[in-house]
Amino acid sequence: ASGSAGEIRWSKLGTSLPVANVQALVASAGELTADQIERYVQPDIDAHTVLPEHSGEVPVIDLSNLLSPESVEAEVAKLRFACAEWGFFQVVNHGIPDDVITGIKHDIQKFFQLPLEVKNAYAQRPGDLQGYGQAFVVSDDQKLDWSDLLALFAQPTQGRDMSYWPSQPHTFRNSVEDYSMELMKLAQTLNVFIAKTLDVAPELLADKHVAQFLRMSYYPPCTSMPEKVLGFSPHSDGSFLTILLEINSVQGLQIRRSGAWIPVKPRHDALLVNVGDLLEILSNGKYKSIEHRVTINAHKERLSISAFHVPNYGGIISPILGTIEEKMLYKAVGVEEYARLYFANKLEGKKALDYAKLSGI
Ligand code: OGA
Ligand code: NI
């Protein structure tokens, strides 16, 4: 058992240098200097082709099929394929009540509409990953993402730091609470079926989802150079499993597959799930932590909320091998040590995972 000290340490695993608020920058767009713009221009943005014609192939998993004895086997096979071949899937019939989804969407939109001074009451403080600000700024000369965010540690509840939880709009805290609880349940359910796809006992995965970080992202439009900036640079998630809800219907998320970028079309009835680095390690590479990025629209803002599910702070993730012949491709890593490494580096594709890969393969 980790106790509350463990949970408090979670959010202190890294820090981000303060940089300009992008929403405010856009609001004052006339005054952008060449230097300011330069920091957001991504040189490698066109390095790989974008294939919108493949958007329709992104796997869809129907949770009600997983929960019904007649259809479970076929749906588990689909889930195994989605984890192994895509590292990403959309979940429909996820069972989260409509009012919970509507509530969180509404309140996040309202929060980002508040005046900057009000939002800044929840600003990130040095040495903490929570709060309102920008993520993964580790040096003064790195490229910056075209987004602002609000990050909160949500589970286990005793690890929360309420000083970061907005009290405006007045329903915000309740909406986050309800959404967070529902997602914990969904993550646990998915866990049971992911265990099935790996042919292991569900108990082996039961402790992999005990903590939850939430990140609410605001991606402002960029009128002058939308095709040159990114809302989120290419990265894989350091989590075990990430569950993402797109708050409005503006397209932006792209996932990496066979060397290309595939845009994911928002569908209002789905949650998006991706395999994180820790599940890649646990599955000994059978499941791939998918690289993804967020592009920016010229005229419309985009909002999303990601829920990162992670194991106990003091836990260790080691590959589960299917057979005695299977070669171990990753070493066992401490959850804390991996998280530190992940947050210390500017996100560069899947670089953090190299640390866990055994050499010579
Ligand atoms: C993330 C992420 C994608 C999005 O929060 O790690 O990849 O669509 N978000 O906001
Ligand atoms: Ni991500």
Side-chain angles (χ1 to χ4, degrees):
S2 61
S4 67
E7 285 113 30
I8 286 160
R9 288 205 310 263
W10 259 123
S11 66
K12 312 282 190 231
L13 282 169
T15 191
S16 184
L17 299 172
V19 288
N21 181 280
V22 187
Q23 192 177 1
L25 207 63
V26 168
S28 68
E31 296 148 36
L32 280 195
T33 65
D35 263 7
Q36 280 175 317
I37 294 173
E38 192 47 40
R39 284 208 72 189
Y40 295 93
V41 173
Q42 301 265 0
D44 300 328
I45 199 164
D46 296 322
H48 308 284
T49 3
V50 177
L51 298 174
E53 61 273 28
H54 289 275
S55 292
E57 295 163 23
V58 174
V60 178
I61 299 297
D62 187 330
L63 192 70
S64 65
N65 285 343
L66 286 173
L67 296 173
S68 127
E70 308 85 72
S71 45
V72 58
E73 285 315 321
E75 204 68 15
V76 162
K78 276 187 172 175
L79 179 61
R80 184 182 295 116
F81 176 81
C83 290
E85 299 298 323
W86 287 79
F88 184 93
F89 54 91
Q90 315 185 66
V91 189
V92 297
N93 293 319
H94 46 65
I96 299 186
D98 281 349
D99 60 329
V100 173
I101 302 272
T102 320
I104 189 87
K105 285 184 172 177
H106 177 263
D107 285 352
I108 291 175
Q109 276 171 311
K110 283 275 177 258
F111 173 76
F112 283 106
Q113 283 163 9
L114 293 170
L116 186 59
E117 326 76 84
V118 178
K119 288 178 288 197
N120 273 341
Y122 309 99
Q124 282 168 352
R125 298 188 290 264
D128 199 332
L129 292 167
Q130 294 184 86
Y132 179 60
Q134 289 73 32
F136 298 114
V137 185
V138 295
S139 83
D140 284 326
D141 53 8
Q142 78 182 57
K143 292 295 177 186
L144 298 177
D145 289 338
W146 195 260
S147 56
D148 305 318
L149 60 86
L150 173 67
L152 299 174
F153 182 90
Q155 303 281 352
T157 54
Q158 61 268 37
R160 292 180 184 177
D161 179 346
M162 296 313 288
S163 70
Y164 286 116
W165 287 54
S167 48
Q168 280 189 61
H170 73 280
T171 45
F172 187 94
R173 291 181 174 192
N174 268 336
S175 297
V176 172
E177 166 71 24
D178 292 348
Y179 183 72
S180 166
M181 296 300 283
E182 289 291 338
L183 277 213
M184 286 303 276
K185 283 192 272 172
L186 176 63
Q188 287 300 352
T189 306
L190 289 173
N191 226 357
V192 170
F193 294 104
I194 289 174
K196 236 180 182 348
T197 64
L198 289 167
D199 296 317
V200 301
E203 297 78 49
L204 274 177
L205 267 65
D207 60 346
K208 303 298 182 277
H209 277 156
V210 295
Q212 181 194 63
F213 267 108
L214 298 176
R215 175 155 64 209
M216 299 150 221
S217 301
Y218 178 83
Y219 303 102
C222 179
T223 33
S224 54
M225 41 163 194
E227 69 298 330
K228 295 262 190 296
V229 303
L230 287 174
F232 217 132
S233 303
H235 67 284
S236 66
D237 293 346
S239 58
F240 188 78
L241 208 67
T242 303
I243 307 180
L244 181 105
L245 172 67
E246 300 187 289
I247 290 179
N248 58 4
S249 55
V250 177
Q251 205 263 301
L253 181 65
Q254 298 185 337
I255 58 177
R256 192 76 186 277
R257 183 165 155 81
S258 311
W261 291 111
I262 301 184
V264 178
K265 285 215 183 81
R267 35 184 296 181
H268 76 279
D269 59 341
L271 288 162
L272 311 181
V273 179
N274 63 277
V275 170
D277 292 354
L278 299 179
L279 178 51
E280 176 168 332
I281 296 171
L282 179 119
S283 70
N284 199 31
K286 287 190 243 1
Y287 296 167
K288 291 286 189 288
S289 174
I290 184 100
E291 229 186 300
H292 49 286
R293 68 177 189 177
V294 175
T295 57
I296 289 296
N297 189 285
H299 307 291
K300 292 183 214 144
E301 62 186 15
R302 177 171 180 271
L303 294 98
S304 70
I305 172 170
S306 342
F308 303 99
H309 292 98
V310 276
N312 262 327
Y313 190 82
I316 291 178
I317 293 272
S318 46
I320 297 180
L321 303 180
T323 61
I324 40 169
E325 293 86 43
E326 189 178 334
K327 219 172 142 213
M328 187 148 144
L329 302 181
Y330 298 76
K331 60 182 175 187
V333 295
V335 171
E336 172 181 356
E337 100 189 280
Y338 191 78
R340 275 190 197 288
L341 179 94
Y342 184 84
F343 288 120
N345 290 287
K346 155 128 175 73
L347 295 180
E348 266 175 52
K350 300 180 57 165
K351 211 177 69 186
L353 251 188
D354 288 344
Y355 164 85
K357 287 195 176 137
L358 289 169
S359 52
I361 43 171

